[in-house]
Amino acid sequence: MQSSSDSSTFKLDQRVHSTNDPRRIGTVKYIGPVEGHPGTWVGVDWDNGEAKHDGSLNGVRYFEARSQLSGSFVRAQNLTAGISFIEALYIRYRDQPTQEDEDEMYVLSASNKRVSVQLVGKEKIQDKLSRLEELTGASLSYLGVSNPGSPNEIRNIVPNLKELDLTGNLLSEWKDVGIICEQLPSLAALNLSNNSMSHEIVGLPLLKSIHILVLNNTGINWTQIEVLKDLLPVIEELHLMGNGINAIKTASSSIVHGFDSLRLLNLEENCIAEWNEIVKLSQLRSLEELHLNKNNLNHIFYPDHDTIDKLVGGDESHDQSCIPFQNLRCLLLGGNNIDDLASVDSLNSFPKLIDIRLSENPIADPGRGGIPRFVLVARLAKVEILNGSEVSTRERKESEIRYVRLVMSKLHGNPDEIKQHPRFVELKNFHGIEDERSSVGTTGPQKMASGLLSVTLKSVAPSIGEKPPLTKKLPAATTIGKLKILCETFFKLGSIRPKLFLQEEGSPLPILLDDEMATLMDVGIGNESTVLVDEES
């Protein structure tokens, strides 16, 4: 790979990487002398933030780095300004590929999954570069690509590329991206992640064959997306992870229009806090998947037409016949700050929504006062995939019955509780569950809902050793504290203090049962539930 020993090769704001490490990428912020050190230096602000200072040295400010330790001064010979597209292609495909190369052969697609691309190694092309014309997919990630090279060079050598991964290179100008794309008429998937792209989109032609565009960690904002929108007539997937986007800023409307073919929009790991920003996407007729994991959302709702009218302020019209989010079937909301039941219940209003992620939100974390999976399943009438796990017919039935009985146990003495459970009456009638009746015994009133539950207790504690699971009939009103005492007896624990977990179908991890005053019904333990018995560490 080429390098330069002449500081005049570099210019301010140019993207460079370390000569010995193409993954160490930064931006030139200063060229000149450094007090107390002879010769000319290049001040670089490194992307990974792992350097020595903030652009100042010994009290002298040379440039402004992004963080206190992302800047350093480097000799020119230790930097490279990059290579052409074809030079990178030759480096990647003329030699025998390493395992690292093979691991990199992918293009990100739906749900941030890797879509494998064809790898042509030395044994296939036998050093005959003419065979590169057969290549339909290529990964040139982290090779220092900074320019498209000579005119028509790409077209002549790899005319049949359909998938191209340019992750982590030195591209920054959109016109260079345009030159590459113009020479690849069949290009359908393009990954430009981890290239710091210019905020001015100039020189970019109509990208009439691009169906998948990945722009993760490129510094792009929605104002630029509005410009790109008109240049992507057939775009189906758009990935915009990690760009610090906090608002959907449109040029002339409060509602996003266009994107007629867009099926998947990935806005994960951004900074969106207000659901009204997401409502601006509600008129995208083809949108099926919306990825919003790891933003800052704390409340969501389904927008009716009145809500949208207020959003546009009455100064513009929108298509009243367009049902908001009319084709949305997958909504990923994991890792946000959602903590209210109204947000959960609003998901029932989305017409076709069946795939939902709510994990790592307070409302879905029983350890933070949230509700367990079975309650989520019961409250979400149409969900078929919850937090990445399929909701089976059996799980739905059992969850709804457990949920109804849980609500019934809370209604005694608190009839207003029913207002918090919109689906309760519907589910109670659907499953034919009768109202609880009290009977008077020697110990006073007893609730039928507090009847016996068949619970399997399974030891997983190292100190207890291997013991067969025990199935016990327990009253639904048994507290977690009482169950711990029973476990000490059942498993002859002696001085070992048990720690209990509920193992739920569809949940990747068991749920800690740490509220000793809560009853089995309160924490969602139903008939045929499994409780894991561990030990306090």
Side-chain angles (χ1 to χ4, degrees):
M1 192 172 296
Q2 296 176 349
S3 63
S4 173
S5 59
D6 185 357
S7 60
S8 64
T9 302
F10 303 108
K11 58 183 180 181
L12 294 181
D13 295 324
Q14 183 176 7
R15 299 286 284 166
V16 294
H17 70 69
S18 172
T19 301
N20 298 320
D21 184 2
R23 290 179 177 269
R24 183 164 171 75
I25 300 172
T27 303
V28 174
K29 290 297 183 181
Y30 174 80
I31 302 170
V34 174
E35 187 175 314
H37 300 273
T40 300
W41 294 83
V42 181
V44 181
D45 191 9
W46 298 100
D47 290 1
N48 63 7
E50 296 176 2
K52 296 182 178 180
H53 51 70
D54 63 354
S56 63
L57 188 63
N58 297 327
V60 179
R61 168 70 60 188
Y62 295 93
F63 63 94
E64 292 284 348
R66 289 181 301 173
S67 68
Q68 291 185 342
L69 293 174
S70 65
S72 69
F73 293 107
V74 186
R75 291 296 190 185
Q77 62 265 28
N78 294 323
L79 298 172
T80 175
I83 57 178
S84 72
F85 181 100
I86 294 300
E87 287 178 288
L89 191 75
Y90 289 174
I91 289 171
R92 178 55 52 85
Y93 291 104
R94 291 182 76 171
D95 301 324
Q96 184 72 30
T98 64
Q99 183 61 47
E100 182 180 6
D101 291 335
E102 293 181 1
D103 289 343
E104 290 177 354
M105 294 297 153
Y106 68 91
V107 173
L108 288 181
S109 182
S111 303
N112 211 28
K113 293 177 181 176
R114 294 186 175 194
V115 177
S116 296
V117 297
Q118 178 184 355
L119 175 65
V120 177
K122 183 176 180 180
E123 71 284 357
K124 286 190 177 181
I125 62 173
Q126 298 175 341
D127 288 334
K128 294 180 181 179
L129 297 180
S130 60
R131 295 288 297 278
L132 285 174
E133 67 184 25
E134 299 176 8
L135 201 63
T136 58
S139 172
L140 304 182
S141 58
Y142 294 99
L143 287 175
V145 177
S146 61
N147 64 88
S150 303
N152 294 316
E153 192 175 29
I154 298 173
R155 188 195 316 273
N156 293 334
I157 295 175
V158 281
N160 294 310
L161 277 187
K162 296 179 180 178
E163 298 172 334
L164 176 60
D165 182 0
L166 288 169
T167 296
N169 281 288
L170 305 182
L171 294 168
S172 60
E173 298 298 329
W174 288 100
K175 63 179 177 59
D176 290 335
V177 174
I179 292 170
I180 293 171
C181 291
E182 281 186 310
Q183 298 180 69
L184 300 171
S186 300
L187 190 64
L190 175 62
N191 190 343
L192 292 171
S193 296
N194 293 79
N195 288 273
S196 183
M197 301 306 299
S198 168
H199 288 179
E200 292 190 23
I201 301 177
V202 294
L204 192 63
L206 190 68
L207 303 177
K208 54 187 178 183
S209 66
I210 298 292
H211 290 265
I212 300 173
L213 181 59
V214 187
L215 296 171
N216 299 336
N217 302 302
T218 56
I220 199 166
N221 58 44
W222 197 268
T223 301
Q224 295 167 276
I225 296 300
E226 286 287 303
V227 176
L228 284 177
K229 176 178 66 177
D230 297 328
L231 302 174
L232 297 165
V234 296
I235 191 73
E236 294 181 26
E237 292 188 17
L238 182 59
H239 297 263
L240 303 171
M241 293 175 61
N243 286 304
I245 296 171
N246 57 22
I248 309 295
K249 295 183 179 178
T250 57
S252 59
S253 168
S254 297
I255 298 291
V256 175
H257 297 288
F259 282 125
D260 294 336
S261 303
L262 189 66
R263 296 185 301 102
L264 185 153
L265 178 59
N266 185 348
L267 287 166
E268 294 186 13
E269 298 181 21
N270 280 289
C271 305
I272 302 170
E274 297 297 328
W275 184 250
N276 274 336
E277 297 299 321
I278 303 303
V279 171
K280 296 176 183 179
L281 304 169
S282 63
Q283 304 292 293
L284 299 180
R285 294 173 182 264
S286 298
L287 190 63
E288 297 178 8
E289 297 188 38
L290 182 55
H291 299 189
L292 298 171
N293 293 328
K294 298 183 180 179
N295 275 272
N296 298 321
L297 296 164
N298 53 32
H299 176 69
I300 64 174
F301 59 88
Y302 181 74
D304 54 21
H305 285 296
D306 289 340
T307 302
I308 297 176
D309 282 337
K310 292 178 182 178
L311 180 65
V312 301
D315 295 329
E316 59 181 275
S317 61
H318 66 276
D319 188 353
Q320 292 282 341
S321 67
C322 181
I323 300 170
F325 295 112
Q326 59 180 317
N327 282 307
L328 191 68
R329 50 175 296 277
C330 173
L331 180 59
L332 306 185
L333 294 162
N336 280 280
N337 303 315
I338 299 166
D339 63 358
D340 63 311
L341 288 171
S343 290
V344 174
D345 295 333
S346 73
L347 296 172
N348 288 314
S349 299
F350 290 73
K352 296 185 179 180
L353 188 58
I354 59 172
D355 185 350
I356 300 168
R357 180 174 292 277
L358 287 167
S359 52
E360 299 181 66
N361 281 280
I363 191 61
D365 183 356
R368 291 191 283 171
I371 55 181
R373 177 182 170 92
F374 84 92
V375 175
L376 287 172
V377 171
R379 295 186 83 111
L380 297 170
K382 295 175 289 188
V383 66
E384 296 179 9
I385 301 174
L386 178 62
N387 297 335
S389 298
E390 182 180 356
V391 178
S392 66
T393 302
R394 175 182 173 181
E395 182 187 7
R396 172 160 293 285
K397 179 179 179 180
E398 291 180 353
S399 295
E400 290 176 351
I401 291 173
R402 289 168 65 187
Y403 171 68
V404 169
R405 295 199 179 281
L406 172 64
V407 176
M408 289 171 68
S409 72
K410 293 182 177 181
L411 289 179
H412 289 276
N414 187 19
D416 289 340
E417 174 74 18
I418 198 170
K419 296 177 182 178
Q420 304 297 320
H421 305 277
R423 299 197 68 217
F424 169 70
V425 174
E426 170 197 349
L427 293 176
K428 177 171 172 289
N429 294 335
F430 178 79
H431 292 289
I433 301 173
E434 296 183 1
D435 288 328
E436 298 176 4
R437 293 187 292 271
S438 297
S439 59
V440 179
T442 57
T443 57
Q446 296 177 334
K447 300 173 186 175
M448 290 184 65
S450 299
L452 298 179
L453 301 174
S454 178
V455 179
T456 297
L457 303 171
K458 183 177 179 182
S459 169
V460 295
S463 299
I464 300 175
E466 286 193 25
K467 290 190 177 182
L470 301 175
T471 299
K472 297 291 184 179
K473 297 283 188 178
L474 301 171
T478 302
T479 64
I480 297 302
K482 176 64 175 177
L483 181 57
K484 287 183 176 180
I485 295 172
L486 292 173
C487 286
E488 292 175 2
T489 301
F490 295 153
F491 291 104
K492 298 182 173 62
L493 300 185
S495 60
I496 300 173
R497 284 288 296 162
K499 192 175 185 179
L500 306 183
F501 296 85
L502 173 61
Q503 189 173 51
E504 277 200 304
E505 180 181 353
S507 289
L509 296 173
I511 299 170
L512 175 65
L513 305 175
D514 57 353
D515 184 353
E516 297 199 355
M517 299 303 295
T519 67
L520 302 188
M521 184 163 287
D522 288 338
V523 298
I525 295 177
N527 214 30
E528 300 184 2
S529 289
T530 297
V531 173
L532 304 180
V533 182
D534 203 347
E535 58 188 304
E536 294 282 1
S537 56

